[in-house]
């Protein structure tokens, strides 16, 4: 991966290289809103070596890491199966978590699902520390290659790519001949989590939303029907 920091006029202010001893292909860089840093994602064919810390599961893997404004790499993780896995896109949700997407040819490694046949769309949700929260694959019996994702305003995902499959697996439409565009919408599993400050009589009680979702509003029910401020 070759990453450059440019001035507003295009002059190079700084630059960094990241990789192992084999081919590594940069794909996306996004702002990590929680850590004031950057998520970086692509496809790596390298094992541990060079300045790549995570290993390789076989052929290409998704390789995801975080860098600060000085190019210092912190989080460094590989996600993949024994066959070829190709990263094509990444989005970052408002709480700073990364959603990494591409296509995969097999199950195994640290991939929790197998393919429906050939290549399938593969989408991974990472928390703000780079730990895998969930991963899913979508496809029919032939090759299906994800190309792009987009976060919707309702927290779901739009997913698009091309597909050789007919009605099979997750595909519900006939194939119109060779490769077709295949697009769909996803709802996203969420994990609400709220932390409260220490509870002391006469001191305001503060609640902190540390969820991996970004709610529009909050509603509280303190389960005390006799209180004047129950909700």
């Amino acid at each position: 991966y070759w990453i450059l920091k440019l001035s507003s006029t295009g002059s190079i202010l700084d630059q960094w290289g990241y990789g192992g001893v084999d081919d590594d292909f940069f794909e996306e860089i996004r702002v990590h809103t929680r850590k004031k840093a950057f998520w970086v994602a692509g496809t790596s064919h390298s094992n541990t070596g060079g300045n790549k810390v995570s290993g390789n599961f076989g052929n290409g893997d998704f390789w995801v890491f975080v860098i600060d404004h000085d190019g210092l790499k912190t989080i460094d993780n590989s996600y993949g199966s024994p066959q070829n896995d190709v990263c094509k896109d990444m989005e970052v949700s408002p709480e700073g978590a990364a959603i990494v997407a591409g296509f995969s040819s097999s199950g195994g490694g640290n991939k929790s699902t197998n393919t429906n046949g050939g290549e399938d769309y593969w989408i991974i949700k990472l928390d703000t520390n780079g730990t895998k929260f969930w991963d899913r694959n979508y496809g029919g019996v032939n090759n299906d290659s994800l190309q792009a994702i987009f976060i919707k305003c309702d927290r779901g995902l739009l997913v698009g790519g091309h597909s050789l499959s007919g009605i099979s697996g997750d595909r519900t439409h006939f194939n119109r001949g060779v490769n077709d565009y295949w697009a769909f919408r996803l709802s996203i599993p969420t994990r609400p989590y709220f932390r409260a400050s220490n509870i002391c009589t006469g001191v305001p009680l503060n609640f902190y939303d540390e969820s991996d979702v970004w709610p529009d509003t909050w509603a509280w029910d303190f389960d005390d029907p006799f209180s004047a401020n129950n909700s």
Side-chain angles (χ1 to χ4, degrees):
Y1 296 11
W2 183 29
I3 299 177
L4 302 91
K5 183 188 292 186
L6 304 178
S7 72
S8 59
T9 58
S11 299
I12 297 176
L13 302 176
D14 212 340
Q15 57 181 298
W16 310 281
Y18 306 92
V21 298
D22 290 309
D23 286 336
D24 309 297
F25 300 101
F26 170 93
E27 199 66 41
E28 294 288 347
I29 185 168
R30 295 281 187 266
V31 175
H32 191 317
T33 53
R34 180 65 65 90
K35 296 181 180 292
K36 294 183 172 63
F38 300 94
W39 286 104
V40 180
T43 303
S44 173
H45 294 265
S46 299
N47 215 323
T48 303
N51 59 6
K52 183 171 186 275
V53 175
S54 54
N56 181 272
F57 294 97
N59 288 323
D61 291 338
F62 293 11
W63 183 31
V64 182
F65 54 85
V66 172
I67 59 172
D68 64 17
H69 287 266
D70 297 315
L72 178 65
K73 181 160 59 71
T74 53
I75 296 167
D76 182 325
N77 292 321
S78 291
Y79 308 92
S81 67
Q83 300 300 319
N84 200 36
D85 309 296
V86 178
C87 177
K88 297 297 293 183
D89 201 4
M90 175 174 61
E91 292 281 358
V92 176
S93 56
E95 83 279 5
I99 303 172
V100 190
F103 52 90
S104 174
S105 301
S106 70
N110 61 359
K111 182 171 183 258
S112 67
T113 56
N114 207 338
T115 67
N116 293 328
E119 295 169 351
D120 278 359
Y121 292 14
W122 187 31
I123 302 175
I124 307 171
K125 172 71 179 291
L126 308 177
D127 67 18
T128 55
N129 294 313
T131 302
K132 187 174 69 171
F133 180 30
W134 55 257
D135 69 304
R136 303 279 193 277
N137 71 270
Y138 307 91
V141 295
N142 292 316
N143 286 340
D144 309 294
S145 302
L146 181 149
Q147 299 297 310
I149 59 173
F150 182 77
I151 295 180
K152 300 165 57 193
C153 60
D154 65 357
R155 306 177 184 86
L157 285 179
L158 295 177
V159 182
H162 48 85
S163 172
L164 285 168
S165 299
I167 295 176
S168 56
D170 303 299
R171 274 211 56 167
T172 58
H173 291 80
F174 288 109
N175 182 280
R176 289 167 170 77
V178 196
N179 268 312
D180 287 351
Y181 291 169
W182 184 32
F184 51 82
R185 297 182 296 175
L186 295 175
S187 61
I188 298 300
T190 58
R191 180 175 53 186
Y193 174 69
F194 298 89
R195 177 173 58 85
S197 63
N198 292 331
I199 301 174
C200 297
T201 302
V203 176
L205 179 61
N206 296 312
F207 291 87
Y208 303 93
D209 182 0
E210 297 185 353
S211 308
D212 69 342
V213 297
W214 50 103
D216 300 311
T217 60
W218 296 263
W220 303 97
D221 181 352
F222 296 103
D223 196 27
D224 179 9
F226 302 103
S227 170
N229 299 297
N230 182 49
S231 61

